[in-house]
Amino acid sequence: MTSSTDRNLQLFERAKALIPGGVNSPVRAFKAVGGTPRFVQRAQGAYFWDANGKQYTDYIGSWGPMILGHGHPAVVEAVQKAVLEGFSYGAPTEREVELAEEIVRLVPSIEMVRLVSSGTEAAMSAIRLARGATGRSKLIKFEGCYHGHADALLVKAGSGLATFGNPTSAGVPPEVVQHTLVLEYNNIAQLEEAFALHGAEIACLMIEPIAGNMNFVRASVPFMKRCRELCTQHGALLAFDEVMTGFRVALGGAQSVYAQLISGFEPDMTVMGKVIGGGMPLAAFGAKRAVMQQLAPLGAVYQAGTLSGNPVATACGLATLREIAKPGFYEALEARTRSLVAGLIGAARDAGLTLTGDSEGGMFGFFLLDALPQNYATVMTTDGPRFNRFFHGMLERGVYFAPALYEAGFVSAAHTDADIAATVEAARAVFAAG
Ligand code: KE4
């Protein structure tokens, strides 16, 4: 629908006059795929309805939080009850303790946790804590991994391992990223060399264990093993950014997946968000007691937040965690997610097209490539215009995938086998249309 009666278009024009790009977060603007963003009027279960009243099967789910689907009755009830008790106090509440207890119970590597309001805030705070706890300044991150928009993390690889990063954003002075070293994901040789050169200065290595910001790329077991070994050897903290994977790929997050593949594996710090808030502004970072106790008001590392541990957000998060902790939740979610990826691969194959994909728990990715990529450079060899045609073909058929080839997708407990089958049929039609 592109006529002037298209309310998405009307709203987008109004929005662009007042909000940069018409959106409050860049990826929503459809810049990578073109076209008009869909303005959501309401959502329920696996679906949302746009400003024209058109229904879409939602495979973004707010970029991960909506693992139960939109409007789960138990979560709605918990939030309704919480708002009647008050919106925010700026004082401690029992529910923050309950949520901390749940996180510590479900993620054994975490002994203490601090709640914040966004993944960016959690990652930024975790890095400051790692630097304070180690007395070191250097940070390793990986190309294709996104840890929010704190200045030190808006960085691209320098010209070599001896040189540190360059800003990827205007407004970030070069000196702010001079301590950040950007390596190639899954590149053991670079990792070894970086630690050989800078090991004694590295405060932490931050990684997305399954990189959802370059669609869906797994850290290989040998690579993850070396990250762990080298951090231990050089006294650096291994920080897992599980903002996307936490409670999404498994109840214990991606670290529980690697703990099954690498004996005794656990990270030193974990950053969480998205699912933990159930769609409300809530994120967290946690680590062993010895590290976390260096945070204010106990220790010298300052960190704070007016709405941190907000009583309505913690009610939403707790209700969500209670639902996903029920027996069989992840088995059912994983089976449905796998059937989606298998269906897309089959539909493409039947049309003589290349498409590959992977999933873990309720998180998936697919690539218009013939093999699963191991790093960002390979992901970006995807034929962009072909992806965009696929994206819009599916959108026209009421299927809402991520509007960028480097973003992951998400299935919720509300997606039915019929939804998955209908999505695969829509893909068949789009592939057939060429
Ligand atoms: P937020 O500050 O957006 O809550 O979290 C930042 C963040 C940190 N770490 C990981 C692994 C993340 O995926 C994110 C945010 N993810 C993006 C989607 N790729 C959020 C969508 C957006 O930016 O609008």
Side-chain angles (χ1 to χ4, degrees), residues 1 29 63 133 138 147 149 166 177 190 212 242 283-285 336 375-376 380 387 393 416 420:
M1 201 175 176
W63 300 97
K138 303 296 184 209
H147 308 295
H149 61 91
N166 301 309
V177 296
Q190 273 196 16
E242 295 228 44
F285 61 103
R336 204 151 293 151
N375 56 49
Y376 180 72
M380 297 315 285
F387 173 83
T416 64
I420 303 296

Side-chain angles (χ1 to χ4, degrees), residues 25 27 63 118-120 146-148 208 213 241 243-244 274 407:
S25 198
V27 72
W63 300 97
S118 74
T120 292
Y146 174 67
H147 308 295
E208 285 186 62
N213 286 285
D241 180 344
V243 167
M244 196 183 282
K274 295 181 193 278
E407 294 283 0

Side-chain angles (χ1 to χ4, degrees), residues 159-193:
S159 56
L161 290 181
T163 62
F164 282 75
N166 301 309
T168 54
S169 167
V172 176
E175 58 271 21
V176 168
V177 296
Q178 66 183 341
H179 298 299
T180 309
L181 188 57
V182 183
L183 305 182
E184 183 177 73
Y185 200 79
N186 277 323
N187 186 323
I188 293 177
Q190 273 196 16
L191 191 67
E192 304 262 5
E193 193 177 350

Side-chain angles (χ1 to χ4, degrees), residues 173-318:
E175 58 271 21
V176 168
V177 296
Q178 66 183 341
H179 298 299
T180 309
L181 188 57
V182 183
L183 305 182
E184 183 177 73
Y185 200 79
N186 277 323
N187 186 323
I188 293 177
Q190 273 196 16
L191 191 67
E192 304 262 5
E193 193 177 350
F195 272 95
L197 284 170
H198 309 290
E201 306 165 84
I202 296 170
C204 89
L205 179 154
M206 184 168 279
I207 187 167
E208 285 186 62
I210 299 176
N213 286 285
M214 43 178 159
N215 198 321
F216 190 105
V217 179
R218 292 176 190 271
S220 73
V221 171
F223 174 70
M224 186 57 83
K225 220 169 154 193
R226 280 313 276 150
C227 286
R228 178 63 279 171
E229 288 165 353
L230 289 165
C231 282
T232 303
Q233 182 185 336
H234 291 272
L237 295 177
L238 175 60
F240 259 29
D241 180 344
E242 295 228 44
V243 167
M244 196 183 282
T245 55
F247 303 115
R248 169 54 72 172
V249 299
L251 188 54
Q255 57 193 269
S256 68
V257 175
Y258 282 96
Q260 289 173 351
L261 301 168
I262 305 169
S263 173
F265 180 89
E266 66 175 18
D268 299 308
M269 303 180 89
T270 302
V271 176
M272 312 183 96
K274 295 181 193 278
V275 170
I276 195 176
M280 299 290 281
L282 194 153
F285 61 103
K288 296 296 188 225
R289 194 173 297 280
V291 173
M292 293 301 285
Q293 286 182 331
Q294 307 209 31
L295 273 176
L298 292 179
V301 180
Y302 193 70
Q303 188 277 330
T306 301
L307 299 177
S308 294
N310 173 271
V312 180
T314 51
C316 191
L318 263 174

